[in-house]
Amino acid sequence: MNFGVLVFPGSNCDHDAYHALKHIHGINTSFIWHKEPELGNVDGVIIPGGFSYGDYLRSGAIARFSPVMNAVARFAEKGGPILGICNGFQILLEARLLPGTMMANEQLRFTCKFVNLVCQNRKTPFTSSIPDDMVLSIPVAHGEGNYYADSKLLKELEDANQVVFRYCDTDGNITAEANPNGSAGNIAGICNKKGNVVGMMPHPERAVESDLGSDHGRYLFESALSRIVAALY
Amino acid sequence: MQVDIVITLRESILDPKGKASHHALENLGFSDISSVRIGKFIQIDIDTDDPAKAREIATEACEKLLANTVMENYEIRLPDTAS
């Protein structure tokens, strides 16, 4: 199986994603430059974090018009697994592949720390291997991670089980204190209606080695691995 | 034709930058300022002399890229042609 990691001018977590996929999980992985019109032979795509186009205008606003994003939209339509992390999530929102938008953190500061997450949808290609009731410890690093959706959209997301991750305390309680950025409903990650496109602000690719603080991010990549292998055979 | 575009956060959306600036102004003694909203100002040059055409192009540019209509409003200001 093959994974592609998109690279935009200003991506800076592309090598971390590559490391997590290739060196930790042994997945054949290649970088895909943003000017490529096609994704090539891939079974899954990671849109990594960073500051694509310097966050000019709005985070992710310019990157969504890169040629590769047309290929990503076609891949999403076909049901291909896509994970947007941090700036990758912002790009998916701007590309309207996921609903809602991102605002500046409520406290107006860049926030870089480990947070706790509960997974509320294990049917996506990136969450199926997360143990039940597990509280994941995964870092965030963003200035604009304050997820916004109006009350109508929030209800639609709830009803369709599209909320994938919420910020919580160490016991899994979803509290205001555990919310690092002011996100509506403590939302840290969502998926599209089909569940194949997932966006999240926390960085699972930075949590794949326990020596570096946590290896809980591995569950996401292991999920993708088992899902795609199951589909192949 | 030079067209000015003003982009602001929708009224219903909390504007943390505006709020922080408002607090700072209050601390400086500006007690008569009741609210601050921060937006963006964009100036574009369009190769046309037709105001209707310019507005049409600017509107499309706002809808497709310059504004995120989920959270932002935009106002297009054409040059004053009265003089």
Side-chain angles (χ1 to χ4, degrees), chain A residues 5-231:
Chain A
V5 176
L6 303 191
V7 183
F8 295 92
S11 295
N12 65 12
C13 301
D14 41 350
H15 283 264
D16 302 66
Y18 184 93
H19 173 69
L21 289 163
K22 182 154 185 167
H23 304 135
I24 304 290
H25 293 92
I27 300 169
N28 191 21
T29 306
S30 51
F31 290 117
I32 303 174
W33 182 235
H34 73 114
K35 285 191 173 164
E36 293 292 335
E38 300 294 336
L39 296 171
N41 177 28
V42 296
D43 305 295
V45 169
I46 305 282
I47 309 181
F51 295 86
S52 58
Y53 293 92
D55 273 357
Y56 296 159
L57 203 58
R58 296 178 306 277
S59 304
I62 314 264
R64 73 167 276 222
F65 292 103
S66 283
V68 77
M69 288 306 293
N70 291 323
V72 168
R74 290 194 299 273
F75 189 65
E77 184 62 36
K78 282 194 302 182
I82 298 169
L83 176 63
I85 301 166
C86 197
N87 188 228
F89 185 11
Q90 294 162 339
I91 294 169
L92 287 171
L93 292 172
E94 283 285 344
R96 307 281 200 269
L97 290 172
L98 290 173
T101 188
M102 214 55 89
M103 299 197 303
N105 291 350
E106 196 172 54
Q107 73 280 23
L108 290 176
R109 280 194 304 275
F110 189 93
T111 297
C112 184
K113 62 178 181 185
F114 273 90
V115 296
N116 297 300
L117 301 173
V118 281
C119 177
Q120 298 192 324
N121 178 345
R122 287 178 171 74
K123 290 182 177 156
T124 82
F126 300 98
T127 54
S128 55
S129 299
I130 298 173
D132 287 344
D133 301 325
M134 174 142 194
V135 174
L136 298 173
S137 176
I138 292 180
V140 290
H142 59 248
E144 293 189 19
N146 180 354
Y147 181 74
Y148 172 81
D150 61 21
S151 51
K152 182 169 165 281
L153 176 58
L154 279 176
K155 184 164 187 320
E156 281 175 27
L157 291 172
E158 302 273 359
D159 291 349
N161 200 21
Q162 286 178 257
V163 177
V164 180
F165 294 109
R166 289 189 207 264
Y167 301 108
C168 64
D169 65 17
T170 47
D171 297 321
N173 302 306
I174 297 158
T175 62
E177 294 72 35
N179 189 338
N181 50 34
S183 284
N186 280 38
I187 289 174
I190 58 170
C191 64
N192 62 348
K193 283 204 165 61
K194 279 197 288 187
N196 61 309
V197 180
V198 176
M200 64 190 295
M201 288 314 292
H203 286 268
E205 83 285 10
R206 294 189 190 178
V208 291
E209 284 145 324
S210 52
D211 286 349
L212 299 177
S214 167
D215 61 359
H216 293 174
R218 287 194 190 191
Y219 292 114
L220 282 93
F221 302 106
E222 281 165 14
S223 301
L225 196 54
S226 60
R227 172 72 67 98
I228 292 164
V229 169

